Amino acid sequence: YLTIEGFKVIQEELYRNVALAIGAVAVIVFFTVASPMTTLLITANIAVSCDRTEVCFHCDDHAEFSSTSSCRLALLQFCLIEILGFMWLMGFAIDSVTVILLALAVGLSVDYSAHVGHTFMVKKSIDKNKRAAEALSDMGAAVLSGGISTFLAVIVLLFSDSYVFIVLSRQFCLTVLLGLGHGLFLLPVMLSWIGPKAFSAGQDLDAEEETTGKDNGKTLEDSEEGDDKEVTKVDATADESEAVMKDEPSEKA
């Protein structure tokens, strides 16, 4: 009886909990990143917009998505729908365990994109590709290290015989892998296309490049001047040696 009653309300619980999680994440990211467009792109990496998704529940505690399900991706919203797709391939039911882990996946997957997006906003340059590359250069290694440590923390649960631990470990691994892929590959490309302007107090990459070029040119000029001075000094020493050699025969005579 409890199982049947649970399946009767689980679809509504899934939609409501995931929507609330996405809304909470969007608000927090907005106040953290302080850019509506970047917030939209970060949230789009973890959210999914569905026109109609029919879930068929069976008495054998198994659920599957019907072939008539139609999902519309809005602004490249991938992460959750990819997790749901892998859940269907692995034969997981839409039950209380998977719904809880889907809500947790929203908070886990946004972490990687949020760091890259915030770093992109503090890099000033006319070229958005340069800003995205610098964001990955500064934050990519840290984001990757965080994902690997999370992955290693749950990988031991993959060999468990418990249903809860099996679902938890596989969904966590999917969340980490997909979150890293979106944060390190998809989001930088999206930002390089339609990313907003940087903060006014951000790091000016163009000015630093110009200053570095001037310093390199000055160093090269100083090096060339030093070489010229060395050559002049060597020539003067050679002239003095020749004069001394010419004076020695006359003194002997």
Side-chain angles (χ1 to χ4, degrees):
Y1 176 79
L2 292 177
T3 302
I4 296 175
E5 288 297 315
F7 279 129
K8 287 177 63 177
V9 300
I10 199 66
Q11 186 173 359
E12 180 183 352
E13 293 288 333
L14 170 64
Y15 293 149
R16 181 173 65 246
N17 292 341
V18 172
L20 290 174
I22 294 173
V25 164
V27 172
I28 294 172
V29 171
F30 174 74
F31 284 107
T32 304
V33 179
S35 171
M37 177 58 73
T38 305
T39 301
L40 178 62
L41 294 178
I42 292 173
T43 308
N45 273 275
I46 61 171
V48 59
S49 176
C50 295
D51 285 337
R52 184 164 63 97
T53 303
E54 297 179 2
V55 182
C56 301
F57 299 98
H58 300 284
C59 296
D60 58 354
D61 296 349
H62 212 72
E64 63 180 8
F65 295 102
S66 71
S67 59
T68 60
S69 299
S70 174
C71 292
R72 171 175 52 86
L73 296 179
L75 295 174
L76 300 178
Q77 301 177 6
F78 284 140
C79 196
L80 287 181
I81 195 172
E82 290 173 354
I83 294 176
L84 287 170
F86 278 106
M87 286 172 54
W88 178 79
L89 288 175
M90 292 184 291
F92 288 158
I94 303 296
D95 54 20
S96 58
V97 177
T98 55
V99 169
I100 292 172
L101 294 176
L102 279 173
L104 291 175
V106 177
L108 288 173
S109 59
V110 75
D111 184 47
Y112 313 110
S113 299
H115 283 89
V116 175
H118 181 267
T119 308
F120 178 84
M121 292 302 301
V122 299
K123 302 293 182 181
K124 292 176 60 178
S125 177
I126 300 176
D127 188 0
K128 293 180 181 180
N129 290 326
K130 183 188 296 184
R131 292 173 59 194
E134 286 293 327
L136 286 177
S137 177
D138 286 0
M139 192 56 62
V143 170
L144 182 62
S145 298
I148 292 175
S149 62
T150 305
F151 181 81
L152 294 177
V154 298
I155 194 172
V156 294
L157 298 178
L158 290 172
F159 308 101
S160 174
D161 295 330
S162 171
Y163 170 76
V164 175
F165 288 151
I166 291 174
V167 175
L168 183 147
S169 59
R170 293 184 182 181
Q171 283 197 235
F172 263 62
C173 290
L174 285 173
T175 302
V176 171
L177 294 176
L178 295 174
L180 284 176
H182 294 163
L184 298 179
F185 297 101
L186 178 61
L187 182 62
V189 174
M190 296 169 66
L191 290 172
S192 66
W193 286 349
I194 55 176
K197 293 182 179 180
F199 299 141
S200 58
Q203 180 184 1
D204 196 336
L205 302 177
D206 295 334
E208 288 185 358
E209 184 177 356
E210 184 178 354
T211 304
T212 303
K214 289 181 179 179
D215 292 341
N216 292 336
K218 185 177 180 181
T219 303
L220 182 59
E221 290 177 0
D222 294 340
S223 177
E224 291 177 353
E225 290 179 1
D227 293 340
D228 293 339
K229 291 179 180 179
E230 290 293 332
V231 171
T232 304
K233 186 176 180 180
V234 170
D235 292 340
T237 304
D239 293 339
E240 291 177 359
S241 300
E242 290 178 0
V244 171
M245 292 176 64
K246 289 180 180 179
D247 292 338
E248 286 180 354
S250 60
E251 289 177 359
K252 290 179 180 180

